Amino acid sequence: MKARETISALLLLAGLLTGAQARAEDPQGKHGWDITVEANTDFPLSVGGRLGVESPWRLRLSTSLGYMPAAYVGLVNDVGVGLDAYGRNEADLIESSLKNSLVWRTHVGWRPFARAGLYVEAGYGLVALGGEVSAEDVLASLLGIEPPGDAEALTREYRVRSVLHMLDVEVGWRWGLGAGWTARTALGAAFTLDSNTRVEPQFQPSQPLLVTAFSRLAEGQLDRTFERYVHLPVLSFSIGYAF
């Protein structure tokens, strides 16, 4: 009888200790709402800032805003041309239409393991408000389109602007550096789903119908170029502070 009571007491004590240990360990795997502000680069898309929010259930939401440096576009084009992915004409079109664009990306994701920094995200990317003015003869040569016949063709210019709608995917890791500071790196990809290009004459055309037709042809050619070639691997680095 005494032996049975002793065993019961030991089992009860073990249960209490196990429960206490579980309660002590449980908070280590949980946290409240986590808000992080980061200085961020998504190479070769943008340099800028990023705001991230993580819930107590490790669901994530992030948004970033930056610009696309001309050097990023140029480096990607050099690699693409070197690998024969596309020609120099396509590279020049991509660079002249996208450099210095505004880049906005918004993702949702999940960090599956409570005690690890691994996370996965997917979302939407917008590239807009970039581009530059191009001379008509240069634009026609790059596109392989005949410009409207006019003696002033050598001096006429067009503003080229493109808006890209992209699908983003990303796998990354976040580290806590102490005192609220964080670091993050990720590998992902951005795929162009749709392109909307505007080619606008920067002059008063004497043959408006021909100039309009030339502009529409140029827009279609540029959109096909972006939708075919602008699918990029993306490497991200961030330093941030968590509140």
Side-chain angles (χ1 to χ4, degrees):
M1 186 70 177
K2 289 184 179 180
R4 184 179 300 175
E5 291 177 354
T6 301
I7 292 173
S8 298
L10 290 174
L11 290 174
L12 178 60
L13 179 60
L16 291 173
L17 290 174
T18 301
Q21 183 179 6
R23 287 191 298 271
E25 290 178 351
D26 187 59
Q28 297 176 11
K30 294 184 178 179
H31 60 77
W33 289 90
D34 183 285
I35 301 174
T36 305
V37 178
E38 298 176 339
N40 175 66
T41 181
D42 296 318
F43 177 82
L45 279 178
S46 68
V47 174
R50 184 177 185 270
L51 175 66
V53 178
E54 184 174 296
S55 76
W57 307 278
R58 303 190 303 280
L59 298 175
R60 299 169 58 86
L61 173 66
S62 68
T63 187
S64 64
L65 187 65
Y67 81 102
M68 181 182 291
Y72 277 17
V73 186
L75 182 57
V76 170
N77 278 337
D78 289 343
V79 173
V81 172
L83 295 175
D84 293 326
Y86 48 83
R88 177 48 61 183
N89 281 358
E90 288 83 1
D92 291 340
L93 281 173
I94 291 170
E95 182 169 358
S96 64
S97 302
L98 293 184
K99 66 182 181 181
N100 300 321
S101 289
L102 180 74
V103 180
W104 175 54
R105 308 177 83 201
T106 294
H107 295 172
V108 294
W110 183 45
R111 185 167 60 89
F113 306 111
R115 292 177 175 81
L118 178 71
Y119 70 88
V120 292
E121 290 185 353
Y124 168 76
L126 176 70
V127 179
L129 302 180
E132 62 180 12
V133 172
S134 297
E136 184 175 80
D137 59 333
V138 173
L139 188 60
S141 175
L142 292 176
L143 294 169
I145 299 173
E146 285 294 325
D150 196 305
E152 300 175 352
L154 294 178
T155 61
R156 297 190 304 207
E157 293 183 328
Y158 294 76
R159 178 167 294 279
V160 181
R161 295 181 181 272
S162 296
V163 176
L164 306 186
H165 302 277
M166 311 187 84
L167 171 66
D168 299 334
V169 293
E170 179 176 298
V171 177
W173 192 283
R174 175 185 158 179
W175 293 269
L177 303 180
W181 292 98
T182 66
R184 184 181 60 85
T185 187
L187 180 63
F191 305 95
T192 300
L193 301 179
D194 184 62
S195 170
N196 184 5
T197 299
R198 296 294 297 170
V199 176
E200 300 170 340
Q202 302 298 292
F203 57 91
Q204 187 64 39
S206 58
Q207 299 174 305
L209 292 179
L210 291 177
V211 170
T212 298
F214 174 78
S215 298
R216 299 295 88 81
L217 286 171
E219 290 168 1
Q221 180 68 24
L222 284 163
D223 286 337
R224 287 189 291 273
T225 297
F226 293 130
E227 291 168 7
R228 180 176 180 182
Y229 294 114
V230 182
H231 306 290
L232 305 171
V234 180
L235 184 60
S236 302
F237 296 98
S238 295
I239 294 292
Y241 188 83
F243 297 91

